[in-house]
């Protein structure tokens, strides 16, 4: 139980900045697509959900590689950005 609180604090400290960056990236993509109203809301929800999924997968990969500190943060940031970009390009290609 003692280890749970520091682990939770660490998780929140690493996820919060990425979540804010995800919001900005999703907002930029929605603006680029000229979405508004319900379409924009739906797009933003899916984009943020995809970003969170990518974030979780990248956190797992960082744990497998036993990364810590700045190396972990850098890896997770780049991995998440790459995963979201790949998903965006795949979605664009599917249309």
């Amino acid at each position: 139980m003692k280890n749970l609180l520091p682990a939770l604090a660490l998780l929140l400290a690493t996820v919060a900045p990425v979540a804010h960056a995800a919001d900005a990236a999703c907002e930029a993509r929605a603006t680029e697509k000229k979405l508004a109203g319900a379409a924009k809301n739906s797009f933003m929800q899916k984009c943020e959900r995809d970003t969170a999924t990518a974030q979780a997968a990248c956190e797992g990969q960082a744990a497998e590689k036993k990364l810590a500190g700045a190396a972990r943060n850098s890896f997770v940031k780049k991995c998440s950005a790459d995963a979201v970009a790949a998903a965006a390009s795949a979605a664009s290609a599917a249309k």
Side-chain angles (χ1 to χ4, degrees):
M1 189 68 166
K2 290 181 181 180
N3 293 337
L4 183 61
L5 189 57
L8 182 59
L10 179 62
L11 178 64
L12 290 175
T14 57
V15 172
V18 175
H20 178 67
D23 290 344
C26 292
E27 185 71 36
R29 288 182 34 218
T31 301
E32 179 182 303
K33 293 176 179 262
K34 299 178 181 168
L35 297 176
K40 181 178 179 182
N41 290 339
S42 176
F43 174 82
M44 290 294 291
Q45 288 176 350
K46 182 179 183 318
C47 181
E48 290 167 1
R49 188 172 49 247
D50 291 348
T51 302
T53 302
Q55 171 78 19
C58 293
E59 288 285 344
Q61 291 175 14
E64 288 174 7
K65 294 182 179 200
K66 298 180 179 161
L67 297 176
R72 179 185 184 94
N73 293 342
S74 178
F75 173 81
V76 171
K77 183 177 178 181
K78 183 178 182 325
C79 175
S80 297
D82 291 347
V84 170
S89 66
S92 296
K95 290 182 179 181

